Amino acid sequence: MHVHHDQLEIRTNGKGLYEITDEVQSKIDRFGVQSGTATVFVQHTSCSVIIMENADPTARSDLEKFFDRLVPENADYFMHSSEGSDDMPSHIRMVLTRTSETVPIVDGQMQLGTWQGIFLFEHRHAPQGRKVWITIIGKM
Amino acid sequence: MHVHHDQLEIRTNGKGLYEITDEVQSKIDRFGVQSGTATVFVQHTSCSVIIMENADPTARSDLEKFFDRLVPENADYFMHSSEGSDDMPSHIRMVLTRTSETVPIVDGQMQLGTWQGIFLFEHRHAPQGRKVWITIIGKM
Amino acid sequence: MHVHHDQLEIRTNGKGLYEITDEVQSKIDRFGVQSGTATVFVQHTSCSVIIMENADPTARSDLEKFFDRLVPENADYFMHSSEGSDDMPSHIRMVLTRTSETVPIVDGQMQLGTWQGIFLFEHRHAPQGRKVWITIIGKM
């Protein structure tokens, strides 16, 4: 059994979904793990990691519209707003989604379903540099 | 240390919760892992895996009613609706819940609390065949 | 590779966030694992584990206010209320957040971002004793 860690750095340009499936699989390929798990972990409290439908762009835009309605930026009871109107909503969206996700690796491949992709879900308007740990545990 | 993978196939008949706790424990028993983790991963973007209260059926039906209100099927701003009115809501419900869950195994048993069960949470009306990976990492 | 399990017992006094970051790191220190993962798992269906902003207390109080609005205690359609008005909302809040979280360990330290803390998110009003498993898999 082996454990490998590596980090992705992702530049975002505003709220939305940024697919990282290929980047995660590349790390698995490089380390040569054939059987185990890949854990994807974002080091931030204003973006998330999610698994989402990756074929039809309207699925992603509808998801973003839903979150804009569920966690509006103008709620009058928010006190935590020193970084702007998207500050507190970004923390709430992160809590409602995920900070880590663990995916099985079989025969060297992540076992994602046909329509599943791994995405960074950015909740801030301004461009950000995001760090994501990929931890791979398994056998060569 | 060992790593074992196996797959469950679950037939669903409409929206709701389908308990899979015993099926997951059976895989652990079969592989004989005494100490480690079991990761449950659904390969779909229109159903989820959750841990939920498994004693009182009204807890599950109330949960379903809440999600019907939180993510209604008739939102007029959804563009992604080629598979019907439950298409986009199923993706949103999946993002708001979970694709993977990791449970500790001690003395060969998943360490679920008294009221915890593992459930597939189906978000589509039509019958579906769902695939769930069980990945067990640990010692015999 | 090693696997270690240990349990935290946390006393809560009403709804809100209770930070456990230091307690989790202490377990890693004690077992001496240098490279691997720590999985935090709550054994309950009426509280959650989340990773949240741990610097500004208003971020936590705004989060609590948001959840009080998203999952109100007085919804007239809840049937599961034998333990009081916070019974069913506590299950829903748990499903919308997380039961387990997996964090990478590099050089003996959890790789949390600058503003990330691990919290027990209590959803019940009455004082509770909560059990949290810490499972550490990795190399010394």
Side-chain angles (χ1 to χ4, degrees), chain A residues 1-5 7 39-45 48 70-72 76-82 88 91-102 133 135 137-138, chain C residues 1 35-37 50-53 56 58-63 65-67 69-70 96-98 100-106 111-117 121 137-139:
Chain A
M1 293 285 285
H2 296 265
V3 51
H4 299 284
H5 304 281
Q7 221 168 11
T39 296
V40 181
F41 179 88
V42 292
Q43 283 194 298
H44 305 275
T45 59
S48 312
L70 184 67
V71 194
D76 56 11
Y77 63 90
F78 288 154
M79 303 292 289
H80 179 83
S81 56
S82 57
M88 193 59 220
H91 298 312
I92 294 171
R93 289 164 193 228
M94 177 274 300
V95 168
L96 287 170
T97 52
R98 305 158 195 173
T99 294
S100 69
E101 193 71 74
T102 297
W133 277 107
T135 297
I137 293 182
Chain C
M1 294 283 286
S35 176
T37 56
I50 63 169
I51 288 180
M52 180 57 189
E53 210 270 16
D56 180 355
T58 64
R60 272 113 73 192
S61 57
D62 283 356
L63 182 74
K65 284 183 281 183
F66 176 84
F67 272 88
R69 284 161 172 78
L70 185 67
L96 287 170
T97 52
R98 304 157 195 173
S100 70
E101 193 70 77
T102 297
V103 184
I105 302 167
V106 179
Q111 295 301 300
L112 296 171
T114 310
W115 311 108
Q116 286 181 316
F121 193 1
I137 292 181
K139 291 178 184 290

Side-chain angles (χ1 to χ4, degrees), chain A residues 1-2 28 32-39 102-111 135-140, chain B residues 2-5 39 133-137:
Chain A
M1 293 285 285
H2 296 265
I28 298 167
V33 169
Q34 295 302 304
S35 176
T37 56
T39 296
T102 297
V103 184
I105 302 167
V106 179
D107 296 333
Q109 299 294 314
M110 279 194 291
Q111 295 301 299
T135 297
I136 300 163
I137 293 182
K139 291 177 184 292
M140 310 295 275
Chain B
H2 296 264
V3 52
H4 298 284
H5 304 280
T39 296
W133 277 106
I134 314 297
T135 297
I136 300 163
I137 292 181

